[in-house]
Amino acid sequence: MKNIIIVLFVMMTNIASAQNSAIFNGGNADGWNKTAFAQVSNNIFTGGIGDGWDKAAFSQPINNIFIGGNGDGWDKATFIQGGNNIYVGGIGDGWASQYIPLGPLPVTFLSFTARKSSKTSSLLEWETSQEINSDRFEVERSGDALFFSKIGTVAAAGNSSFPQQYSFTDNNPKGINYYRLKQVDINGKFIFTPVRLVKFGEINSETVKYYPNPTNGILIIELDLPNVNEPHLINISNAGGIMVNQIKIVPSSGNKIQIDLSRYAKGTYFIQVRTPTLNSTQRVVLN
C-alpha cells in the first residue's frame, strides 16, 4: 500500500498581530486598563481608595509632599514644619512633637530631672553616659511648653566615655515652669530633651471646671464663655513632672472639651489649659 502524504499549508493571519503604540492591552486588575492604559498629561498614577494615591487629588499643589490625616504619619493641618522641627505629628501617627535625631547620638542622656530646691528656686540635674564633640547645654524655660526662652548655659565635657553629671539652678521661677535642655555640638547641631514641669504657688483652676475628678478616663474641661473662641493649649504632666502630652485645640463654638486619659497609667496628673487670656492648672486623679 502506498503511503499518502498530505501536506497542509497553514496561513498566518495578520488581523491583530501588532499593537500600534500600546505595549499591553489588559483588563481589570492587571495593571493596565484596555480602555485607558495611557495616562494623560503628567499624571503618573490615578488610583483609588487605599492604594496610596487618591484619584481626586493625586497631584499636590506648590511644595506640599503629602497631605494626610490622623494616623497616617502626616497631619493634614500641620504638614509644613517651622524652625528645625523635622516632623510634628498627631496622636497615633508615629511622629512625636519633639525633635529626635537619626543616627548615632553625640550625647547619650542617662537622666534629666527638675524639682523645687527651695521656695523660690528650681534645681535641674542631668547625667550623660557619653559625649562626642559636645559644646554646651542651654537651659530653656516656658510657661506653656510651647514657646521657650534660654535662661542659662552649662559647658559640656566635650568628649567623654564616662558618666558626667551637671546641674543648674533657676532662681526666678514663675508659677508654672516647663524646662528642657538644648544640647549643642561643636558644629552647631543640637537636640532637645523631653520637657519637665516644676510648679510654684497654689495651683489655680480659676473659672475653668474639671470633672469628674477623680476620673476613670474621660475628663471634661468646661470653659467660661469669654474664652471659648480662643485657641486652647492643653498640657498633661504626671506627678513626676514629666509632660506626657500636649494638645492644641482650635477655637470652637462649644465650651466643653473632652480629654481621654485612659491610655495613661493610674495616678495623679496636672492639666494645664492655656489661652491668650487664661492660664489654668488643675490636679486630676486617674483611677
Side-chain angles (χ1 to χ4, degrees):
M1 178 181 293
K2 296 180 179 180
N3 293 328
I4 300 174
I5 299 175
I6 301 174
V7 180
L8 298 177
F9 292 95
V10 180
M11 302 299 293
M12 299 295 293
T13 179
N14 64 355
I15 296 175
S17 58
Q19 295 284 339
N20 295 327
S21 62
I23 299 175
F24 297 104
N25 225 7
N28 291 335
D30 62 1
W32 290 91
N33 187 299
K34 61 186 177 181
T35 60
F37 57 86
Q39 299 295 331
V40 298
S41 186
N42 64 338
N43 301 348
I44 300 176
F45 299 103
T46 298
I49 297 175
D51 62 3
W53 290 91
D54 181 354
K55 61 186 178 182
F58 57 88
S59 178
Q60 299 298 330
I62 314 177
N63 65 338
N64 300 349
I65 301 175
F66 299 102
I67 296 182
N70 289 337
D72 63 2
W74 290 90
D75 182 351
K76 61 186 177 182
T78 57
F79 57 90
I80 297 178
Q81 303 306 326
N84 70 318
N85 298 341
I86 297 179
Y87 302 103
V88 175
I91 296 173
D93 63 5
W95 293 97
S97 59
Q98 296 296 323
Y99 168 62
I100 300 176
L102 301 177
L105 295 175
V107 172
T108 302
F109 285 90
L110 290 176
S111 64
F112 170 46
T113 61
R115 59 182 175 85
K116 288 183 181 179
S117 57
S118 71
K119 292 183 179 181
T120 58
S121 63
S122 298
L123 177 62
L124 283 66
E125 298 176 300
W126 62 97
E127 184 176 5
T128 64
S129 61
Q130 70 168 13
E131 298 182 32
I132 302 173
N133 296 327
S134 180
D135 182 68
R136 65 188 184 276
F137 300 92
E138 295 181 358
V139 181
E140 297 185 347
R141 184 181 65 199
S142 172
D144 58 9
L146 185 63
F147 300 103
F148 285 83
S149 59
K150 185 175 73 172
I151 61 172
T153 301
V154 177
N159 291 281
S160 173
S161 58
F162 300 97
Q164 300 288 331
Q165 296 179 340
Y166 301 89
S167 65
F168 178 85
T169 299
D170 178 14
N171 292 312
N172 296 289
K174 302 175 182 179
I176 299 296
N177 302 270
Y178 293 96
Y179 295 100
R180 72 181 182 186
L181 300 176
K182 179 180 180 180
Q183 183 273 314
V184 185
D185 292 346
I186 293 175
N187 60 9
K189 293 183 179 180
F190 59 89
I191 60 173
F192 291 112
T193 65
V195 176
R196 298 293 184 258
L197 169 66
V198 179
K199 303 176 300 301
F200 284 82
E202 294 296 325
I203 60 174
N204 179 21
S205 61
E206 299 181 7
T207 56
V208 181
K209 298 178 181 178
Y210 302 79
Y211 59 87
N213 187 15
T215 177
N216 292 323
I218 300 299
L219 177 71
I220 304 298
I221 301 175
E222 185 175 339
L223 303 173
D224 257 2
L225 291 178
N227 305 115
V228 168
N229 293 320
E230 298 177 327
H232 313 323
L233 182 68
I234 300 176
N235 295 318
I236 304 174
S237 303
N238 63 20
I242 299 174
M243 194 175 80
V244 297
N245 200 5
Q246 183 177 81
I247 305 170
K248 299 175 185 177
I249 299 178
V250 298
S252 65
S253 57
N255 68 327
K256 294 182 180 180
I257 302 170
Q258 180 175 293
I259 303 296
D260 187 0
L261 302 176
S262 61
R263 63 193 180 107
Y264 305 118
K266 296 180 180 179
T268 300
Y269 292 86
F270 293 92
I271 314 298
Q272 181 191 24
V273 178
R274 187 74 182 263
T275 75
T277 60
L278 172 70
N279 188 3
S280 171
T281 304
Q282 178 65 47
R283 181 187 292 108
V284 174
V285 176
L286 175 62
N287 291 327

